[in-house]
Coordinates of all heavy atoms in Angstrom, one line a residue:
V53 N 110.5 86.7 17.6 CA 109.5 85.8 18.2 C 108.5 86.6 19.0 O 107.3 86.4 19.0 CB 110.1 84.6 18.9 CG1 108.9 83.9 19.6 CG2 110.7 83.7 17.9
V54 N 109.1 87.5 19.8 CA 108.3 88.3 20.7 C 107.4 89.3 19.9 O 106.1 89.3 20.2 CB 109.1 89.2 21.7 CG1 108.3 90.3 22.4 CG2 109.7 88.3 22.7
F55 N 107.9 89.8 18.9 CA 107.1 90.7 18.0 C 106.0 89.7 17.3 O 104.8 90.2 17.1 CB 108.0 91.3 16.9 CG 107.1 92.1 15.9 CD1 106.7 93.4 16.3 CD2 106.8 91.6 14.7 CE1 105.9 94.1 15.4 CE2 106.0 92.3 13.8 CZ 105.6 93.6 14.2
R56 N 106.3 88.6 16.8 CA 105.3 87.8 16.1 C 104.2 87.4 17.0 O 103.0 87.3 16.6 CB 106.0 86.5 15.5 CG 105.0 85.7 14.6 CD 104.5 86.5 13.4 NE 103.4 85.9 12.7 CZ 102.1 86.0 12.9 NH1 101.7 86.7 13.9 NH2 101.3 85.4 12.1
L57 N 104.5 87.1 18.3 CA 103.5 86.9 19.2 C 102.5 88.0 19.5 O 101.3 87.9 19.5 CB 104.1 86.4 20.6 CG 104.7 85.0 20.6 CD1 105.5 84.8 21.9 CD2 103.6 83.9 20.4
Y58 N 103.1 89.2 19.6 CA 102.4 90.4 19.8 C 101.5 90.6 18.5 O 100.4 91.0 18.6 CB 103.3 91.6 20.0 CG 102.7 93.0 19.8 CD1 102.0 93.6 20.8 CD2 102.8 93.7 18.6 CE1 101.6 94.8 20.8 CE2 102.2 94.9 18.4 CZ 101.5 95.5 19.6 OH 101.0 96.7 19.4
W59 N 102.2 90.5 17.3 CA 101.5 90.8 16.0 C 100.3 89.8 15.8 O 99.4 90.1 15.1 CB 102.4 90.8 14.9 CG 102.0 91.6 13.7 CD1 101.9 91.2 12.5 CD2 101.9 93.0 13.7 NE1 101.5 92.3 11.6 CE2 101.5 93.4 12.4 CE3 101.8 94.0 14.8 CZ2 101.2 94.7 12.0 CZ3 101.5 95.4 14.3 CH2 101.2 95.7 13.0
G60 N 100.5 88.7 16.4 CA 99.4 87.7 16.3 C 98.1 88.0 17.1 O 97.1 87.4 16.9
V61 N 98.3 89.1 17.9 CA 97.1 89.6 18.6 C 96.7 91.0 18.1 O 95.4 91.3 18.0 CB 97.4 89.6 20.2 CG1 96.3 90.2 20.9 CG2 97.7 88.2 20.7
A62 N 97.6 91.8 17.8 CA 97.4 93.2 17.5 C 97.6 93.6 16.1 O 97.4 94.7 15.6 CB 98.2 94.1 18.4
G63 N 98.1 92.6 15.2 CA 98.5 93.0 13.9 C 97.3 93.0 12.8 O 96.2 93.0 13.2
G64 N 97.7 92.9 11.6 CA 96.6 92.9 10.5 C 95.8 91.6 10.6 O 96.2 90.7 11.4
S65 N 94.7 91.6 9.9 CA 93.7 90.5 10.1 C 94.3 89.2 9.8 O 93.9 88.3 10.6 CB 92.5 90.9 9.2 OG 92.8 90.9 7.8
T66 N 95.0 89.0 8.8 CA 95.5 87.6 8.5 C 96.6 87.2 9.3 O 97.0 86.1 9.4 CB 96.0 87.6 7.0 OG1 96.9 88.6 6.7 CG2 94.8 87.7 6.1
A67 N 97.3 88.1 10.1 CA 98.4 87.8 10.9 C 97.9 87.4 12.3 O 98.7 86.7 13.1 CB 99.3 89.0 11.2
R68 N 96.7 87.6 12.6 CA 96.2 87.3 14.0 C 95.9 85.8 14.1 O 95.3 85.2 13.2 CB 94.9 88.1 14.3 CG 95.1 89.6 14.3 CD 93.9 90.3 14.8 NE 94.2 91.8 14.9 CZ 93.5 92.6 15.6 NH1 92.5 92.2 16.3 NH2 93.9 93.9 15.6
F69 N 96.3 85.2 15.2 CA 96.1 83.8 15.5 C 94.6 83.4 15.4 O 94.2 82.4 14.9 CB 96.7 83.4 16.9 CG 98.1 83.6 16.9 CD1 98.6 84.4 17.9 CD2 99.0 83.1 16.1 CE1 100.0 84.7 18.1 CE2 100.3 83.3 16.1 CZ 100.9 84.0 17.1
A70 N 93.8 84.3 15.9 CA 92.3 84.1 15.9 C 91.7 83.8 14.5 O 90.8 83.2 14.3 CB 91.6 85.1 16.6
S71 N 92.5 84.4 13.5 CA 92.0 84.4 12.2 C 92.3 83.1 11.5 O 91.7 82.7 10.4 CB 92.4 85.5 11.3 OG 93.8 85.5 11.0
F72 N 93.3 82.3 11.9 CA 93.7 81.1 11.2 C 93.7 79.8 12.0 O 93.8 78.7 11.4 CB 95.0 81.4 10.4 CG 96.1 81.8 11.2 CD1 96.9 80.8 11.8 CD2 96.6 83.1 11.2 CE1 98.0 81.2 12.6 CE2 97.7 83.4 12.0 CZ 98.4 82.5 12.7
V73 N 94.0 79.9 13.3 CA 94.0 78.7 14.2 C 92.7 78.1 14.3 O 91.8 78.8 14.8 CB 94.7 79.0 15.4 CG1 94.7 77.7 16.4 CG2 96.1 79.6 15.3
R74 N 92.5 76.8 13.9 CA 91.3 76.1 13.9 C 91.4 74.9 14.8 O 92.5 74.4 15.1 CB 90.8 75.7 12.5 CG 90.5 76.9 11.6 CD 89.3 77.6 12.0 NE 89.0 78.8 11.1 CZ 89.4 80.1 11.4 NH1 90.0 80.3 12.5 NH2 89.0 81.0 10.6
G75 N 90.2 74.4 15.2 CA 90.1 73.2 16.0 C 90.4 71.9 15.3 O 90.6 71.9 14.1
P76 N 90.4 70.7 16.0 CA 90.7 69.5 15.4 C 89.8 69.1 14.2 O 90.2 68.6 13.2 CB 90.5 68.5 16.5 CG 90.8 69.3 17.8 CD 90.2 70.7 17.5
G77 N 88.5 69.4 14.4 CA 87.5 69.1 13.4 C 87.8 69.8 12.1 O 87.9 69.1 10.9
A78 N 88.0 71.0 12.1 CA 88.3 71.8 10.8 C 89.7 71.4 10.2 O 89.8 71.3 9.0 CB 88.3 73.3 11.1
T79 N 90.6 71.0 11.1 CA 91.9 70.6 10.6 C 91.8 69.3 9.9 O 92.4 69.2 8.9 CB 92.9 70.6 11.8 OG1 92.9 71.8 12.5 CG2 94.3 70.2 11.3
L80 N 91.2 68.4 10.5 CA 91.0 67.0 9.9 C 90.2 67.1 8.5 O 90.5 66.5 7.5 CB 90.3 66.0 10.8 CG 91.2 65.6 12.0 CD1 90.3 64.8 13.0 CD2 92.4 64.8 11.5
A81 N 89.1 68.0 8.6 CA 88.4 68.1 7.3 C 89.3 68.7 6.3 O 89.1 68.3 5.1 CB 87.1 69.1 7.6
Y82 N 90.1 69.6 6.6 CA 91.0 70.2 5.5 C 92.0 69.1 5.1 O 92.3 69.0 3.9 CB 91.7 71.5 6.1 CG 92.7 72.1 5.1 CD1 92.2 72.9 4.0 CD2 94.0 71.7 5.0 CE1 93.0 73.4 3.0 CE2 94.9 72.2 4.0 CZ 94.4 73.0 3.0 OH 95.2 73.6 2.1
A83 N 92.5 68.3 6.0 CA 93.5 67.3 5.7 C 93.0 66.4 4.6 O 93.7 66.0 3.8 CB 94.0 66.6 6.9
R84 N 91.7 66.1 4.7 CA 91.1 65.2 3.7 C 91.1 65.8 2.3 O 91.0 65.0 1.3 CB 89.6 64.9 4.1 CG 89.6 64.1 5.4 CD 88.1 63.6 5.7 NE 88.0 63.1 6.9 CZ 87.4 63.7 7.9 NH1 87.0 65.0 7.8 NH2 87.3 63.3 9.2
T85 N 91.2 67.1 2.2 CA 91.3 67.7 0.8 C 92.7 67.7 0.2 O 92.9 68.1 -1.0 CB 90.7 69.2 0.9 OG1 91.7 70.0 1.5 CG2 89.4 69.2 1.6
L86 N 93.7 67.4 1.0 CA 95.1 67.5 0.5 C 95.3 66.7 -0.8 O 96.0 67.2 -1.7 CB 96.1 67.0 1.5 CG 96.3 67.9 2.8 CD1 97.2 67.3 3.8 CD2 96.8 69.3 2.3
P87 N 94.8 65.5 -1.0 CA 95.1 64.8 -2.3 C 94.4 65.4 -3.5 O 94.8 65.1 -4.6 CB 94.5 63.4 -2.0 CG 94.4 63.2 -0.5 CD 94.1 64.6 -0.1
R88 N 93.5 66.3 -3.3 CA 92.7 66.9 -4.4 C 93.6 68.1 -5.0 O 93.9 68.9 -4.3 CB 91.3 67.4 -3.9 CG 90.4 66.4 -3.6 CD 89.2 66.9 -3.0 NE 88.7 68.1 -3.6 CZ 87.7 69.0 -3.2 NH1 87.3 68.8 -2.0 NH2 87.4 70.0 -4.0
R89 N 93.8 68.0 -6.3 CA 94.6 69.0 -6.9 C 93.8 70.3 -7.1 O 94.4 71.4 -7.2 CB 95.0 68.4 -8.3 CG 96.2 69.2 -8.9 CD 96.8 68.5 -10.1 NE 98.1 69.0 -10.3 CZ 99.0 68.4 -11.2 NH1 98.6 67.2 -11.7 NH2 100.1 68.9 -11.4
D90 N 92.4 70.2 -7.2 CA 91.6 71.3 -7.4 C 91.0 71.9 -6.1 O 90.0 72.7 -6.2 CB 90.5 70.9 -8.4 CG 89.6 69.9 -7.8 OD1 90.0 69.2 -6.8 OD2 88.5 69.7 -8.4
S91 N 91.5 71.6 -5.0 CA 90.9 72.2 -3.7 C 91.1 73.7 -3.8 O 92.0 74.3 -4.3 CB 91.7 71.7 -2.5 OG 93.1 71.9 -2.6
V92 N 90.1 74.3 -3.1 CA 90.0 75.8 -3.2 C 91.2 76.4 -2.3 O 91.5 75.9 -1.2 CB 88.7 76.3 -2.7 CG1 88.7 77.8 -2.6 CG2 87.6 75.7 -3.5
A93 N 91.8 77.3 -2.9 CA 92.9 78.1 -2.1 C 92.3 78.8 -0.9 O 91.2 79.4 -1.0 CB 93.7 79.1 -3.0
V94 N 93.0 78.7 0.3 CA 92.5 79.3 1.4 C 93.2 80.7 1.7 O 94.4 80.8 1.5 CB 92.8 78.4 2.7 CG1 92.4 79.1 4.0 CG2 92.1 77.1 2.6
A95 N 92.4 81.7 2.0 CA 93.0 83.0 2.3 C 93.7 82.9 3.6 O 93.1 82.6 4.6 CB 91.9 84.1 2.3
G96 N 95.0 83.3 3.6 CA 95.8 83.2 4.9 C 96.3 81.7 5.0 O 96.4 81.0 4.0
H97 N 96.6 81.4 6.3 CA 97.1 80.1 6.6 C 95.9 79.0 6.5 O 94.9 79.3 7.1 CB 97.7 80.0 8.0 CG 99.0 80.8 8.1 ND1 100.1 80.6 7.3 CD2 99.3 81.9 8.8 CE1 101.1 81.3 7.6 NE2 100.6 82.2 8.5
N98 N 96.1 77.9 5.9 CA 95.2 76.8 6.0 C 95.3 76.2 7.4 O 96.2 76.4 8.1 CB 95.3 75.8 4.9 CG 96.6 75.1 4.9 OD1 97.0 74.4 5.9 ND2 97.5 75.2 3.9
P99 N 94.2 75.4 7.8 CA 94.3 74.8 9.1 C 95.5 74.1 9.5 O 96.1 74.2 10.7 CB 93.0 74.0 9.2 CG 92.1 74.6 8.2 CD 93.0 75.1 7.1
L100 N 96.0 73.3 8.6 CA 97.3 72.5 8.9 C 98.5 73.5 8.9 O 99.4 73.4 9.8 CB 97.5 71.5 7.8 CG 96.7 70.2 7.9 CD1 96.9 69.3 6.6 CD2 97.0 69.5 9.2
G101 N 98.5 74.4 7.9 CA 99.6 75.4 8.0 C 99.6 76.2 9.3 O 100.7 76.6 9.8
A102 N 98.4 76.5 9.8 CA 98.3 77.3 11.0 C 99.0 76.6 12.1 O 99.7 77.2 12.9 CB 96.8 77.5 11.3
W103 N 98.8 75.3 12.3 CA 99.3 74.6 13.4 C 100.8 74.5 13.2 O 101.6 74.4 14.2 CB 98.6 73.2 13.5 CG 97.3 73.4 14.2 CD1 96.1 73.1 13.6 CD2 97.1 73.7 15.5 NE1 95.1 73.4 14.5 CE2 95.7 73.8 15.7 CE3 97.9 74.1 16.6 CZ2 95.1 74.1 16.8 CZ3 97.3 74.4 17.8 CH2 95.9 74.5 17.9
S104 N 101.3 74.4 12.0 CA 102.8 74.4 11.7 C 103.4 75.8 12.1 O 104.5 75.8 12.7 CB 103.1 74.1 10.3 OG 102.8 75.2 9.5
V105 N 102.6 76.9 11.9 CA 103.1 78.1 12.4 C 103.2 78.2 13.9 O 104.2 78.6 14.5 CB 102.2 79.3 11.8 CG1 102.5 80.7 12.5 CG2 102.3 79.4 10.3
V106 N 102.1 77.6 14.6 CA 102.1 77.7 16.1 C 103.3 76.8 16.5 O 104.1 77.2 17.4 CB 100.8 77.1 16.6 CG1 100.9 76.9 18.1 CG2 99.7 78.1 16.2
A107 N 103.5 75.6 15.9 CA 104.6 74.7 16.4 C 106.0 75.4 16.1 O 106.8 75.3 17.0 CB 104.5 73.5 15.6
M108 N 106.1 76.1 15.0 CA 107.4 76.7 14.8 C 107.7 77.9 15.8 O 108.8 78.0 16.3 CB 107.4 77.4 13.3 CG 108.7 77.9 13.0 SD 109.8 76.7 12.4 CE 109.0 76.2 10.8
I109 N 106.7 78.6 16.1 CA 106.9 79.7 17.1 C 107.2 79.2 18.5 O 108.1 79.7 19.2 CB 105.6 80.6 17.2 CG1 105.4 81.4 15.8 CG2 105.7 81.6 18.4 CD1 104.2 82.3 15.7
V110 N 106.5 78.1 18.8 CA 106.7 77.5 20.2 C 108.1 76.8 20.2 O 108.9 77.0 21.2 CB 105.7 76.4 20.4 CG1 106.1 75.5 21.6 CG2 104.3 77.0 20.7
L111 N 108.5 76.1 19.2 CA 109.9 75.5 19.3 C 110.9 76.6 19.1 O 112.0 76.5 19.9 CB 110.1 74.6 18.0 CG 109.4 73.2 18.2 CD1 109.6 72.4 17.0 CD2 109.9 72.5 19.4
L112 N 110.7 77.7 18.4 CA 111.7 78.8 18.4 C 111.9 79.4 19.8 O 112.9 79.7 20.2 CB 111.3 79.8 17.3 CG 111.7 79.5 15.8 CD1 111.1 80.5 14.9 CD2 113.2 79.5 15.6
A113 N 110.7 79.7 20.4 CA 110.7 80.3 21.7 C 111.4 79.4 22.8 O 112.2 79.8 23.5 CB 109.3 80.6 22.1
A114 N 111.2 78.1 22.6 CA 111.8 77.1 23.5 C 113.2 77.1 23.3 O 114.1 77.0 24.2 CB 111.1 75.8 23.4
Q115 N 113.7 77.1 22.0 CA 115.0 76.9 21.6 C 115.8 78.3 22.1 O 117.0 78.1 22.7 CB 115.2 76.8 20.1 CG 116.6 76.7 19.6 CD 117.2 75.4 20.0 OE1 116.6 74.5 20.7 NE2 118.4 75.0 19.5
V116 N 115.3 79.4 21.9 CA 115.9 80.6 22.4 C 116.0 80.6 23.9 O 116.9 80.9 24.5 CB 115.3 81.8 21.8 CG1 115.8 83.1 22.4 CG2 115.4 82.0 20.3
G117 N 114.8 80.2 24.5 CA 114.8 80.2 25.9 C 115.9 79.3 26.5 O 116.5 79.7 27.5
M118 N 116.0 78.1 26.0 CA 117.1 77.3 26.6 C 118.5 77.9 26.3 O 119.3 77.8 27.2 CB 117.0 75.9 25.8 CG 115.7 75.1 26.3 SD 115.7 73.4 25.7 CE 115.4 73.7 23.8
G119 N 118.6 78.5 25.1 CA 119.9 79.1 24.9 C 120.3 80.2 25.9 O 121.5 80.4 26.2
L120 N 119.3 80.8 26.5 CA 119.6 81.9 27.5 C 120.1 81.4 28.7 O 120.8 82.1 29.5 CB 118.3 82.6 27.7 CG 117.7 83.3 26.6 CD1 116.3 84.0 27.0 CD2 118.6 84.5 26.0
F121 N 119.9 80.0 29.1 CA 120.3 79.4 30.3 C 121.4 78.4 30.2 O 122.0 77.9 31.1 CB 119.1 78.8 31.0 CG 118.0 79.7 31.5 CD1 117.0 80.0 30.7 CD2 118.1 80.2 32.7 CE1 116.0 80.8 31.1 CE2 117.1 81.1 33.2 CZ 116.0 81.4 32.3
A122 N 121.8 78.2 28.9 CA 122.7 77.1 28.6 C 124.2 77.5 29.1 O 124.5 78.6 29.0 CB 122.8 76.8 27.1
V123 N 124.9 76.5 29.4 CA 126.3 76.7 29.8 C 127.2 75.6 29.0 O 126.8 74.5 29.0 CB 126.5 76.5 31.3 CG1 127.9 76.6 31.8 CG2 125.7 77.5 32.1
D124 N 128.3 76.1 28.4 CA 129.2 75.1 27.7 C 130.0 74.4 28.8 O 130.0 74.6 30.0 CB 130.1 75.9 26.7 CG 131.2 76.6 27.4 OD1 131.2 76.8 28.6 OD2 132.2 77.0 26.6
V125 N 130.7 73.4 28.2 CA 131.4 72.4 29.1 C 132.5 73.1 29.9 O 132.8 72.6 31.1 CB 132.1 71.3 28.2 CG1 133.2 71.8 27.3 CG2 132.5 70.1 29.0
D126 N 133.1 74.2 29.4 CA 134.1 74.9 30.2 C 133.5 76.0 31.1 O 134.3 76.6 31.9 CB 135.1 75.4 29.3 CG 135.9 74.3 28.6 OD1 136.3 73.3 29.2 OD2 136.2 74.5 27.4
G127 N 132.3 76.3 30.8 CA 131.6 77.4 31.6 C 132.0 78.8 31.2 O 131.7 79.8 31.8

Side-chain angles (χ1 to χ4, degrees):
V53 169
V54 170
F55 177 79
R56 186 62 186 91
L57 289 171
Y58 167 86
W59 206 240
V61 176
S65 57
T66 53
R68 296 191 178 198
F69 300 122
S71 73
F72 59 80
V73 176
R74 297 289 180 264
T79 304
L80 288 173
Y82 179 81
R84 295 189 189 99
T85 71
L86 286 178
R88 291 172 44 193
R89 198 165 196 170
D90 61 344
S91 60
V92 177
V94 177
H97 293 298
N98 64 60
L100 281 176
W103 285 110
S104 74
V105 170
V106 172
M108 188 78 72
I109 292 174
V110 169
L111 281 182
L112 279 171
Q115 184 70 356
V116 173
M118 289 186 291
L120 299 176
F121 294 90
V123 178
D124 77 343
V125 67
D126 297 318

